[in-house]
Amino acid sequence: MNADIAARIRDLRQSYGQLDGLDLLAAMAGEFPGSLAVISSFGAESAVLLDLVSQLDKALPVIFLDTGELFDETLAYQQQLTQQLALSNVMVIHPDPVDLRAAEDLWQRDADACCYLRKVRPLRRATRDFAVLVDGRKRFHAGGRESIQTIEADDDGKVKISPLARWSQKRIDNVFRQRQLPRHPLVAQGYRSIGCWPCSRPVEEGEPVRAGRWAGAAKTECGIHRVSKTV
């Protein structure tokens, strides 16, 4: 990371580091008008962040990556939430057809390469014109996320905002009840972190939230959250 980006992140943390949730999202949207996009998997807890978007500005860009290997339930949930929250700028993006052909059944022998073709590469194209990317990562999910900050930078020099980073499971669950948000259909079947169907499974009682992702492998992230460690 160059010195200018590092200084920008330090300045943003000094000004907004005490904020989270809707307050942080609103501050960043004001700081970077027209340059902020929200990335959402429309997964198990995505409704909470998307509800904040709906409260602030229903036209904020929301990027949803359809990898070609998502659960049918996720695709249906994306439609349901988009309609219920009246989100007017959800952009559904797909991998390049050439990459999709190359990635066919690749998850069975090289999950990292599969994620790169289905997620990392198309998301880089889709976010090229945005300076700030908002995500729903949370510390309590563990699996390497215990120390994430609400304001970070990625390896491309983009500002990464995680408004829910410091939120607890209890706070997330309370918002679902208070805001009457629908749950992803697979939550009732024990899924707590939901990605592509070949690499997601339900979790057992007492397991970490993300234990069902790439279960049995050392892999814990797909590669789209490439946070710089130099700030």
Side-chain angles (χ1 to χ4, degrees), residues 28-218:
M28 291 298 98
E31 185 80 17
F32 299 94
S35 297
L36 178 147
V38 178
I39 301 171
S40 178
S41 66
F42 283 80
E45 296 168 350
S46 296
V48 174
L49 177 60
L50 294 172
D51 182 55
L52 298 182
V53 172
S54 178
Q55 293 177 59
L56 177 64
D57 181 357
K58 298 180 190 304
L60 275 182
V62 175
I63 298 174
F64 171 59
L65 177 56
D66 182 352
T67 66
E69 295 285 4
L70 298 182
F71 290 93
D72 290 342
E73 289 88 344
T74 297
L75 299 177
Y77 189 57
Q78 184 264 315
Q79 294 287 332
Q80 178 188 10
L81 270 184
T82 299
Q83 182 176 4
Q84 179 167 328
L85 298 176
L87 302 172
S88 61
N89 196 10
V90 175
M91 298 179 286
V92 181
I93 64 171
H94 304 267
D96 183 274
V98 174
D99 288 343
L100 271 182
R101 289 194 292 271
E104 186 174 359
D105 296 328
L106 189 57
W107 58 270
Q108 298 181 66
R109 55 188 187 277
D110 192 339
D112 286 334
C114 187
C115 286
Y116 179 76
L117 293 174
R118 293 182 183 276
K119 302 177 88 171
V120 176
R121 183 178 285 180
L123 193 61
R124 282 180 179 172
R125 289 196 299 265
T127 59
R128 188 177 296 125
D129 296 330
F130 295 102
V132 182
L133 303 179
V134 179
D135 62 60
R137 293 177 302 146
K138 308 165 194 72
R139 292 176 182 173
F140 78 82
H141 281 188
R145 296 186 173 185
E146 296 88 344
S147 61
I148 61 174
Q149 303 298 308
T150 54
I151 302 172
E152 298 178 316
D154 70 13
D155 290 342
D156 292 332
K158 294 183 183 294
V159 178
K160 287 184 67 64
I161 305 298
S162 302
L164 310 180
R166 299 189 289 249
W167 287 30
S168 65
Q169 180 74 73
K170 181 178 179 179
R171 188 172 181 184
I172 293 293
D173 291 340
N174 284 341
V175 171
F176 267 99
R177 288 191 294 270
Q178 293 164 4
R179 300 287 297 174
Q180 298 183 320
L181 300 173
R183 291 280 190 176
H184 189 295
L186 292 178
V187 168
Q189 298 180 34
Y191 289 84
R192 298 187 65 196
S193 181
I194 303 166
C196 295
W197 70 264
C199 301
S200 303
R201 68 156 173 82
V203 299
E204 302 295 334
E205 185 174 354
E207 284 188 314
V209 171
R210 290 177 61 80
R213 301 294 294 277
W214 306 285

